[in-house]
Amino acid sequence: MTEQKPVTQTAATPAVPTLPDAQTVTGVTHYTDRLFSFRCTRPASLRFRSGEFVMIGLMGDPDPKTGKVKPLLRAYSIASPSWDEELEFYSIKVPDGPLTSRLQHISVGDEIILRPKPVGTLVHDALIPGKRIWFFATGTGFAPFASLLREPQTYADYDEVIITHTCREAGELTYGREIIESLKDDELLNEVIGEGFWKKIKYYPTTTREPSAKMGRITDLMRSGEAFTDLGVEPLCSQNDRAMICGNLAFNLELKEMLEDYGLAEGANSKPAQYVVEKAFLD
C-alpha cells in the first residue's frame, strides 16, 4: 500500500448539541484507507485517567418495525491525555462495520455521542512501582498509549519508557510516529515534566507485511532477542519492568503468556501488579 499523507480538517465553532450526550467534532485526520483520528469537544464534567476508554458512537438506523432509533456505541480509548481541553480518538475503518462504516465519514461540526463514564485497566494505578514501563500495541491499540505518552505521571514514575507498535503496513505507523515526534516540540510538556523528558522514550515500530526499517512481530523479535539488542536493553524482569498491552486478541494472549514467563503478574485497579491488558475492545 502506498503511504498516504494525513488529510486533516480542523475546527469550527461548536454548535448547540442536538443528540443525547452529544459532543461536536473539531478535527478529523485520515492517515490511510483504514485509519483515521478525530478530536471533539470535552464535557465539562468529564474526568478521566490517561489510558481509560469511553463509549462513543452515532444514532443507529430506525427499527423497521417500531421506527425507534437507538444509539450505536462502541468502546474507544481516549487518545488525548487527561489534561487536554478536547478529546482525541484513533479509529480503524471497517467498510461493513456497524459503527465505523459511518464514523469514518464524520466532518468538523458533526456530532457524536459520548457517554462520559470512563473506565479501563491501562492506568498507572493498576501497576506497582517499577523502573521501566513497556507499552505494547498493535494497530489502533496505540490509542491509550498516545494518552499515556503525554501524561506527566508516566515520566515521574519511570526512568525509561519503551513503546512498541506493530502494524501490517508502514503507513499505519504514521499516527504513533507523529505523536512521539511532537513531544520534542511540546513546550507545555517540556516545561511541566522537564526539558528533554522525551529522551526517556525508546520507540520500536515494526511491520509484518510491507517492508520497513524493522519487520517482524514484536513477540517473535522478543523471543529471538533481536528486539532487546536493537533497543539496547535487558530482557524484562519482574523486579524492574512494568507493561501494558493493547491489541488484537491473539496478540494480547500471546504477550500475556510471554510476560508471565518473564515473571510478571497481571494487575488490575483493585489489585495492582506488574502488567495489565485492555480487554474491552480489539483493533
Side-chain angles (χ1 to χ4, degrees):
M1 184 183 74
T2 303
E3 183 171 349
Q4 300 178 6
K5 293 183 178 180
V7 178
T8 304
Q9 296 178 345
T10 54
T13 303
V16 177
T18 58
L19 295 176
D21 294 318
Q23 298 300 318
T24 303
V25 176
T26 60
V28 182
T29 301
H30 293 272
Y31 296 94
T32 72
D33 57 0
R34 296 182 66 246
L35 298 167
F36 72 108
S37 69
F38 62 94
R39 294 179 67 86
C40 68
T41 54
R42 176 175 176 170
S45 61
L46 177 61
R47 298 290 181 271
F48 69 94
R49 296 173 296 176
S50 292
E52 290 188 311
F53 66 88
V54 291
M55 302 297 291
I56 66 172
L58 300 168
M59 295 303 293
D61 295 325
D63 184 284
K65 294 182 179 180
T66 65
K68 292 184 178 180
V69 179
K70 295 182 179 180
L72 183 60
L73 303 172
R74 295 290 185 271
Y76 270 74
S77 285
I78 304 172
S80 47
S82 60
W83 49 264
D84 202 323
E85 294 181 354
E86 292 186 337
L87 298 176
E88 179 180 335
F89 299 96
Y90 184 43
S91 179
I92 194 170
K93 305 174 185 179
V94 181
D96 57 351
L99 177 59
T100 60
S101 62
R102 299 170 56 188
L103 191 64
Q104 64 183 288
H105 299 298
I106 58 173
S107 300
V108 171
D110 289 347
E111 290 182 347
I112 64 164
I113 301 168
L114 188 150
R115 295 287 164 81
K117 296 180 180 179
V119 291
T121 56
L122 299 186
V123 293
H124 288 305
D125 293 343
L127 296 175
I128 58 178
K131 295 182 179 179
R132 182 170 61 182
I133 182 75
W134 293 75
F135 296 145
F136 293 104
T138 62
T140 55
F142 192 93
F145 305 133
S147 175
L148 287 157
L149 285 167
R150 292 178 280 184
E151 169 57 55
Q153 185 180 348
T154 300
Y155 305 94
D157 288 356
Y158 298 98
D159 299 329
E160 196 167 37
V161 179
I162 300 177
I163 171 74
T164 80
H165 192 199
T166 299
C167 296
R168 294 184 298 182
E169 297 164 339
E172 297 172 351
L173 297 168
T174 302
Y175 175 78
R177 183 182 68 247
E178 290 185 348
I179 290 288
I180 291 170
E181 289 177 349
S182 71
L183 299 177
K184 300 177 183 180
D185 301 317
D186 192 311
E187 295 182 2
L188 176 61
L189 286 179
N190 276 278
E191 180 179 349
V192 171
I193 302 173
E195 194 70 32
F197 75 93
W198 46 270
K199 294 178 182 178
K200 286 189 173 185
I201 300 172
K202 289 182 181 291
Y203 174 46
Y204 197 65
T206 72
T207 57
T208 57
R209 293 188 185 178
E210 186 178 24
S212 66
K214 175 60 64 174
M215 293 195 66
R217 299 164 69 245
I218 183 61
T219 47
D220 292 338
L221 293 167
M222 290 168 66
R223 284 195 186 92
S224 70
E226 188 174 345
F228 304 118
T229 300
D230 291 341
L231 289 164
V233 301
E234 295 294 322
L236 286 81
C237 71
S238 59
Q239 182 177 355
N240 296 324
D241 290 288
R242 304 296 174 256
M244 297 185 180
I245 308 170
C246 190
N248 60 66
L249 180 58
F251 174 77
N252 288 0
L253 294 175
E254 183 179 8
L255 201 45
K256 269 171 57 73
E257 184 176 350
M258 290 181 66
L259 293 183
E260 290 178 5
D261 287 343
Y262 284 119
L264 279 66
E266 184 172 1
N269 282 281
S270 58
K271 188 180 179 181
Q274 290 135 336
Y275 80 89
V276 287
V277 184
E278 186 55 82
K279 302 184 179 75
F281 63 98
L282 306 172
D283 71 329

